[in-house]
Amino acid sequence: MAAATARPRPAAPPFGILNDDGSCADEHKAIVSDDDVERILDTMVLNRILDRRLQMLQRQGRLGFYMTSRGEEATIIGAAFCLETTDPIFLSYRELGCLLWRRVPLALVFNQLIGNSRDLCLGRQMPVHYAFRDWGIPSVSSPVGTQLPHACGFAYASKIRRSGEVALAFCGEGTASQGDFHTALNFSGAFWVPAIYVIRNNGYAISTPESVQTAAESLAARADGYGLPGYQIDGNDLLAVVFALRDAVERARAGRGPTLIEALTYRLGAHSTADDPTAYRSDAEAEEWSRMDPFERLRRHARWRGLWSDEVEQASTQAWEKRITDTLTECERHPPPAVESLFDDVLEAPGPQLVEQRDAYLRYWRTKTDKPVSEL
Amino acid sequence: MAETQTMNMIQALNQALDLYLERDDAAVVLGEDVGLFGGVFRVTQGLQAKYGSERVFDTPLAEAGIVGMAIGMALNGLHPVAEIQFADFIFPAYDQIVSELAKYRYRSGGEYPAKVVIRAPMGGGIHGGHYHSQSPEAYFAHTPGLRVVIPSGPYEAKGLLLGALECPDPVIFLEPKRLYRSAKRDVPLDYYTLPLERARVARRGADATVVAWGAMLGTALEAAIAEGDGYDVEVIDLQSIAPYDLRTVVRSVRKTGRMVVVHEAPRTCGFGAELIAAVQGAAFDKLTAPLERVTGFDTPFPYTLEEHYLPSADRVARAVIDTIEY
């Protein structure tokens, strides 16, 4: 972690396992099996292709918005790797990799991004605000940090019903300034629930560097104040992420309480498609972090193990490219959601005020179209 | 009806919670001081002893945490009933209520209904000053995805709270704390629910309609009775603020041609404004006088001069007479 960033210099280097040349101590190889290293690399390949293609789609005006996660995949996919699909992951918004690891069908992801009639959320939210109940992904919202107390509540329910789920929530280092961060950590300690909080500390909240958020050298150190274990790890080191997360999951599952993990990483791309990072950070800084790209580091590690040849990567790339192209073509064909659906799901059944508004609007809308109401 | 007992609103609410906790294993009660102590108003008294500290429990002192945690519990199948100690302290949780609780079902395409009931004592009349007196119903009524319910007496409190507890939607259940111990009624001991979103005609009359809710219902009835010799006033207890029963109100106003809305909250953008806008649209051809409001003032809720701020029966009666004699 030698990169110069606007982040306060940590007092001690974060926990890491992988060496620069991709090697690690022999006893650490078992943290992730050969097969899983390749499966994770394959998911990272998919994640990178999607980031590139979906960002392009946004620039072409075919998507309203998008957020890439390039540079943070080891933290995101590594965390998902340590959980069961029944364990909810409360996303911040930059964690597409969790969906990919859980094999949420690409078509469902694209339908959400497009907001079409096949979107499970019926086009009600901006792109990347996913919700996939069957894959343990509760609904994403834009106010940052609101998801953190939800993880505590979910975990409390798991604890008193003895149903065994561990709840994991992501947030950024900027969100650690929010009251909900404090509340969630404090409540989680007070109720000793099976919850894990992962801070993706990527150095910036849009343009604001971490040094503006806090004078603290470590966000993980805040765990002490809540009576929890807290670890600062190298978030670009897949093995370190898995080691720390697996330990946290095992303790949570065994009733040994919550954990705070601060993963030091870097957003190699822009905050969103509406952002221009050259305005607030230097090329040299981004360049330096590129040399610690988590995908490159895991690939080096795989090669050191004798895995993941160029041919394998090429095959993976080609296979995903084709599936993405085919699926996107299909998803872009679906029409927008039915106009009537605008009025559904506010409450279980609409109240009289909404019924009146809906009926009046649909009557008006029918005068503008030949279609029967059921097809609007 | 089955066996009844004379009780106040606190006892009625306590019974509703007790009956519901017994019936629904997924129900839990959380909040500040609600466990061992039974709540600062004693609404949850005895529930922790009966149902255990996993289901009835104290939380750290943070309203956003109480509501945020309740939402997470609901996402994992529990049916939480959160107590906010005073409605005046609900604002730290406003983001969780407005951004999360109210939108969760909608934004997840119906995949994640968030069944949470938030109880909070509301309203003035107890010398509570700015921070133990406010009536925030309009803030929540302006947020799609929430129900807002306010009972006016012990019988309504029990039936409406049980209705709210059974309801699959998020409910903000505001309890007029001035009535907690003052009003006593015969209340059935059995489990019963009252329908949400239905207004109640509390007094029949032909000359004017007064619409009120919570503690103002009593004030409205007092005003109507005071006019007993002269005019015949119909009084409607709205009960549910969102969604609300416009039909019952309109039926009455089309009959009387006049309406006065009474609420404790400040006038501007108070819920009376919504009622008046809706009623004038639905009863315009029958109106014989401007629709009127008797409300709190557009000031923060005062301490010493509380009696001047709160609508009194006399002010309501004058407004009714002005309307009738317009």
Side-chain angles (χ1 to χ4, degrees), chain B residues 28-104:
Chain B
V28 293
V29 170
L30 70 159
E32 294 155 13
D33 306 303
V34 301
L36 180 68
F37 189 54
V40 296
F41 289 104
R42 304 294 189 277
V43 172
T44 58
Q45 193 156 38
L47 299 178
Q48 189 181 67
K50 193 163 170 187
Y51 297 101
S53 55
E54 281 188 343
R55 291 185 66 199
V56 180
F57 59 94
D58 292 331
T59 65
L61 205 168
E63 291 80 7
I66 293 168
V67 175
M69 186 176 176
I71 294 168
M73 291 157 76
L75 299 179
N76 198 11
L78 293 182
H79 298 154
V81 188
E83 177 176 303
I84 299 296
Q85 203 158 76
F86 285 85
D88 309 75
F89 306 143
I90 207 166
F91 299 106
Y94 198 64
D95 187 27
Q96 284 290 343
I97 295 171
V98 171
S99 303
E100 299 295 324
L101 182 59
K103 295 176 176 58
Y104 225 106

Side-chain angles (χ1 to χ4, degrees), chain B residues 259-282:
Chain B
M259 179 174 78
V260 175
V261 184
V262 187
H263 60 68
E264 292 185 31
R267 175 168 306 186
T268 303
C269 293
F271 198 71
E274 165 61 29
L275 274 180
I276 285 174
V279 167
Q280 70 82 25

